[in-house]
Amino acid sequence: MLTSIATVSLSGTLKEKLEAISAARFDGVEIFENDLICCGESPRDVRAIASDLGLEIYLYQPFRNFEVEDDNEFRRNLERARRKLDVMADLGVRLLLVCSSVAANAAGPERAAEQLRALAELAAEHGVRIGYEALAWGRMAKSYKDAWDIVRRADHPHLGLILDSFHSLAIDDDLSEIARIPGSRIFFTQVADAPAMKLDVLSWSRHFRCFPGQGNLPVAKFVGAVVRAGYAGPLSLEVFNDDFRASPTRPTAVDGLRSLLFLEEQVCAEIAGEPRRPARPPHARPRHLRVELFDPPPAPQFAGVAFIEFAVDGPSGAALEQWLGKLGFRRAGRHRSKRVTLLRQGDVNIVLNAEQQGFARSYFLLHGPSVCAIALASDDPLLAAARAEAFKAARGIERVHSNEVAIPSIRALDACMLYFVGTAPELAPNFLADFILGETDASTGVGLREIDHVAFSLPEGLLDAWVLFLRATLGMVPDEPVDLADPYGLVRSRAMATPGRSVRFPLNIADGRRTVTAQSVSTFAGAGVHQIAIGADDMFATAARLKAAGVEVLAIPANYYDDLAAKFDLDPAFVYRLQNENILYDQDAAGAFLHLYTLPFEDRFFFEILQRTGGYAGYGALNAPVRMAAMSRWYASRHPPPILESATK
């Protein structure tokens, strides 16, 4: 389908917005009236700028409170409309959005139809069409059914309907009647998602809309109904969001286009009545549709994290290797041509990249020793990369010498590399082929076996962007958001996982500069991995080995274990063993969760060692405040506040 975005959805000047929209490869744009009023260019100049950028101006909006009971006010509204039509002529746009009146003297259906017909006659003289949209808080027209009733009464070819997913879904409107509206009478379709909130609709709409795929509304169901009606026009994003208005313009525009592509894929599945399946032929669509929906390669099956790569230099690499050695990791090989070392334990592979050029070096200079790449084991690495690139992910570029494995990769939103390695030799060579392997004695480890999850600490305002990116590119599914209490603020967390939960990425963002999460963001100079969780088969045996190896773990207060004994029906001897090893505990109806934390490496990242029993699928969220408070105490012991000299010395 044709893609569009309203200029109100982005930050910046109108010219900056148009440049970003063009760079993101939208087909066209809605010009929001305030953006035009505030810009320094004339309407003719804006038209020329859009044309030079390859953008069509699909819509000018909004025209408010047109249909009223007072005759004098109606005549003034017609004159007001005439002036707007002149502006539209200079802009080169042929569709005006008229939203249903919220005025105290809003006209009823008959009078509204009469007045809109008069407006349509005026528009016809200017070669322009009028699109009527029901606001969810409108006085007389609150739903698309109300608006359609008025449009039918007016019965004018230059008057049609504009549908907006938010206005319908926010009031839980019945969508079944949309498919019965003639597609030719739907002049334009706007879409937006939103998180589930108990808030008045106007405030919800003005501040908390988001891109499709970032919220909880069934936007695909709405668009499926519109497409079934025979609509063949653009899908346009109209998003009022405080974070978006403060975010960089170009990345937000790319997120917007990604969201429309993701939405079209969901609409394909919604119309087909079943989830996306890899066996479906490419570009398959029901024959009665008048549009071609975006149909990317399906998300492949993932089998876990194949390796985690750290960007280091010589000194930090040696220190990190020694630190990991206490956790039971042993050097298993070195790269054939690069300053890259492989450490292994169980099925966990850790790569230390000390190259002096290339992406890892750039990442190190920006972030210091930190995770610069994560490799995901896939049943089809090339398909995984192709899907991600179809959703506008940047392709990863790395120097590859002759006879070395070229691993498909993309860049995540923090510039971290995501590699795709094969689970079957016939699909892709194993990354281990690049290493000269030595002998590793697995018995020297501490019982760690596989990566359970990798947690990211994100800068403020980027949580929604990451949720959308991971949903679209990797086919991940979001858990419900969770708020975690830090002693110095709140941490909002949302875990993403692939179907089957073989790959899990909890995403964390802090509402407070002094929180542990916010401090890790500052340390990373942006965003990055701040926690790596590794599963063990026997938590107590692993904890004992860690202690014997001299690994310092996070100290958990005795009060926690007193509360634990009261919260769960646990054997006192079991609770004592937990306390003795600083192991935290959680359980649900499916199973139990045991976990402990190492102290951070150079204040940058830490490891969580865990054991899941039964079908426990969570992350021990109830224990997060305890962990963050303990980590805050540790940070304070290392970085005490400065002693200020008295002003009355």
Side-chain angles (χ1 to χ4, degrees):
M1 297 184 73
L2 294 171
T3 58
S4 171
I5 185 171
T7 54
V8 73
S9 307
L10 303 172
S11 65
T13 66
L14 180 55
K15 186 175 181 181
E16 289 171 339
K17 295 180 182 189
L18 293 175
E19 290 171 346
I21 292 167
S22 173
R25 306 295 185 187
F26 281 89
D27 297 303
V29 62
E30 301 177 36
I31 299 292
F32 197 71
E33 184 177 59
N34 282 359
D35 285 318
L36 181 67
I37 291 172
C38 296
C39 81
E41 292 80 17
S42 70
R44 288 182 181 272
D45 291 337
V46 172
R47 176 180 184 174
I49 291 169
S51 178
D52 290 344
L53 291 170
L55 293 173
E56 182 172 347
I57 303 176
Y58 290 128
L59 178 72
Y60 185 62
Q61 65 121 331
F63 193 78
R64 304 180 190 275
N65 296 329
F66 175 76
E67 67 280 27
V68 291
E69 291 291 348
D70 183 84
D71 288 339
N72 289 330
E73 189 172 351
F74 169 61
R75 283 192 290 271
R76 287 195 295 271
N77 285 344
L78 269 182
E79 181 58 30
R80 185 162 57 94
R82 194 184 308 274
R83 293 172 181 267
K84 295 302 179 187
L85 295 175
D86 290 339
V87 171
M88 291 172 62
D90 289 341
L91 275 175
V93 57
R94 301 180 61 188
L95 180 61
L96 173 67
L97 181 149
V98 176
C99 49
S100 62
S101 179
V102 299
N105 64 337
E110 286 288 351
R111 187 160 176 77
E114 176 186 335
Q115 292 178 353
L116 285 168
R117 182 177 177 82
L119 178 60
E121 284 287 346
L122 179 62
E125 296 173 7
H126 288 73
V128 171
R129 299 188 301 168
I130 303 298
Y132 186 55
E133 176 191 58
L135 296 179
W137 52 91
R139 281 277 181 170
M140 298 296 176
K142 298 176 182 292
S143 74
Y144 75 88
K145 295 176 189 175
D146 298 333
W148 175 231
D149 175 59
I150 292 171
V151 168
R152 280 189 302 178
R153 290 171 187 256
D155 190 24
H156 193 286
H158 281 252
L159 176 66
L161 200 60
I162 289 182
L163 297 177
D164 185 308
S165 67
F166 180 84
H167 291 300
S168 293
L169 299 175
I171 60 173
D172 197 23
D173 206 356
D174 177 14
L175 305 181
S176 61
E177 297 295 319
I178 292 179
R180 297 185 181 140
I181 301 172
S184 61
R185 307 303 297 149
I186 302 174
F187 283 2
F188 204 70
T189 299
Q190 297 172 320
V191 292
D193 206 338
M197 303 182 77
K198 292 183 179 180
L199 199 66
D200 67 275
V201 180
L202 180 59
S203 298
W204 193 18
S205 171
R206 292 285 170 83
H207 301 283
F208 297 102
R209 295 197 201 189
C210 55
F211 292 141
Q214 295 178 333
N216 302 97
L217 300 181
V219 185
K221 182 179 179 182
F222 172 87
V223 176
V226 175
V227 169
R228 286 189 187 94
Y231 176 72
L235 272 186
S236 188
L237 296 163
E238 186 194 40
V239 176
F240 298 87
N241 185 291
D242 295 340
D243 285 340
F244 288 10
R245 281 190 279 263
S247 299
T249 311
R250 293 204 173 203
T252 306
V254 173
D255 284 346
L257 186 65
R258 182 181 292 123
S259 76
L260 287 181
L261 299 178
F262 181 62
L263 175 60
E264 288 190 39
E265 183 189 36
Q266 289 186 309
V267 172
C268 267
E270 198 278 333
I271 290 175
E274 59 185 14
R276 180 68 188 273
R277 296 183 179 180
R280 199 176 85 200
H283 305 294
R285 65 184 175 95
R287 293 184 179 179
H288 67 278
L289 299 184
R290 298 179 59 204
V291 292
E292 187 76 42
L293 296 170
F294 179 68
D295 197 19
Q301 298 291 323
F302 290 102
V305 175
F307 66 82
I308 292 179
E309 182 173 344
F310 289 85
V312 295
D313 62 1
S316 65
L320 181 55
E321 184 172 356
Q322 182 180 15
W323 190 79
L324 291 169
K326 292 182 179 181
L327 295 175
F329 289 94
R330 298 292 179 263
R331 182 179 291 205
R334 59 180 177 82
H335 199 277
R336 297 181 182 277
S337 63
K338 300 175 183 176
R339 297 179 59 187
V340 177
T341 303
L342 173 66
L343 307 180
R344 304 188 76 180
Q345 179 179 185
D347 292 328
V348 183
N349 296 292
I350 293 181
V351 173
L352 306 183
N353 190 332
E355 278 287 278
Q356 294 303 300
Q357 53 184 315
F359 92 94
R361 180 61 177 173
S362 300
Y363 206 87
F364 174 82
L365 292 175
L366 180 61
H367 301 284
S370 53
V371 173
C372 64
I374 301 171
L376 306 181
S378 165
D379 64 340
D380 194 332
L382 292 176
L383 184 72
R387 175 185 173 84
E389 289 182 36
F391 279 106
K392 308 305 177 183
R395 179 181 299 181
I397 300 175
E398 184 187 6
R399 292 183 303 114
V400 178
H401 294 286
S402 59
N403 300 321
E404 291 182 356
V405 175
I407 305 177
S409 62
I410 61 167
R411 296 276 191 172
L413 297 184
D414 64 342
C416 176
M417 196 89 82
L418 292 178
Y419 288 113
F420 303 109
V421 302
T423 55
E426 64 272 15
L427 290 175
N430 194 305
F431 73 95
L432 294 175
D434 280 349
F435 290 88
I436 301 172
L437 300 177
E439 293 185 3
T440 301
D441 184 0
S443 65
T444 61
V446 299
L448 306 183
R449 54 181 175 83
E450 63 182 5
I451 300 292
D452 185 88
H453 61 269
V454 180
F456 290 78
S457 178
L458 306 180
E460 186 177 358
L462 286 184
L463 182 58
D464 286 344
W466 273 83
V467 168
L468 173 61
F469 178 82
L470 294 175
R471 289 190 74 179
T473 59
L474 303 183
M476 285 185 147
V477 179
D479 289 351
E480 288 299 313
V482 178
D483 289 339
L484 307 174
D486 183 280
Y488 300 104
L490 195 69
V491 175
R492 291 181 291 133
S493 181
R494 194 164 198 187
M496 307 292 295
T498 56
R501 308 184 78 81
S502 62
V503 178
R504 312 178 201 222
F505 290 160
L507 307 174
N508 303 305
I509 189 166
D511 289 339
R513 295 182 179 180
R514 296 179 62 194
T515 63
V516 172
T517 300
Q519 290 181 54
S520 65
V521 170
S522 177
T523 300
F524 277 114
V529 172
H530 71 122
Q531 177 183 340
I532 300 166
I534 306 179
D537 290 319
D538 186 332
M539 193 66 192
F540 290 108
T542 293
R545 291 172 184 168
L546 291 173
K547 183 181 292 185
V551 175
E552 294 184 276
V553 301
L554 189 65
I556 305 301
N559 294 338
Y560 167 80
Y561 295 98
D562 292 339
D563 179 70
L564 191 66
K567 185 180 301 181
F568 300 114
D569 185 17
L570 300 175
D571 186 330
F574 179 71
V575 175
Y576 174 78
R577 293 184 70 193
L578 293 172
Q579 182 173 358
N580 191 51
E581 302 293 352
N582 288 291
I583 297 173
L584 296 102
Y585 178 87
D586 190 26
Q587 69 179 43
D588 59 18
F593 186 63
L594 291 79
H595 56 140
L596 63 77
Y597 298 91
T598 70
L599 295 181
F601 175 79
E602 294 189 4
D603 294 1
R604 295 179 177 273
F605 51 83
F606 57 91
F607 280 63
E608 177 185 12
I609 312 302
L610 61 85
Q611 181 182 359
R612 298 178 184 272
T613 64
Y616 185 96
Y619 302 88
L622 289 177
N623 295 327
V626 178
R627 189 263 300 173
M628 290 189 287
M631 196 72 79
S632 292
R633 287 192 295 273
W634 179 83
Y635 272 118
S637 69
R638 286 175 55 86
H639 307 287
I643 300 175
L644 301 178
E645 294 187 11
S646 172
T648 58
K649 192 172 180 180

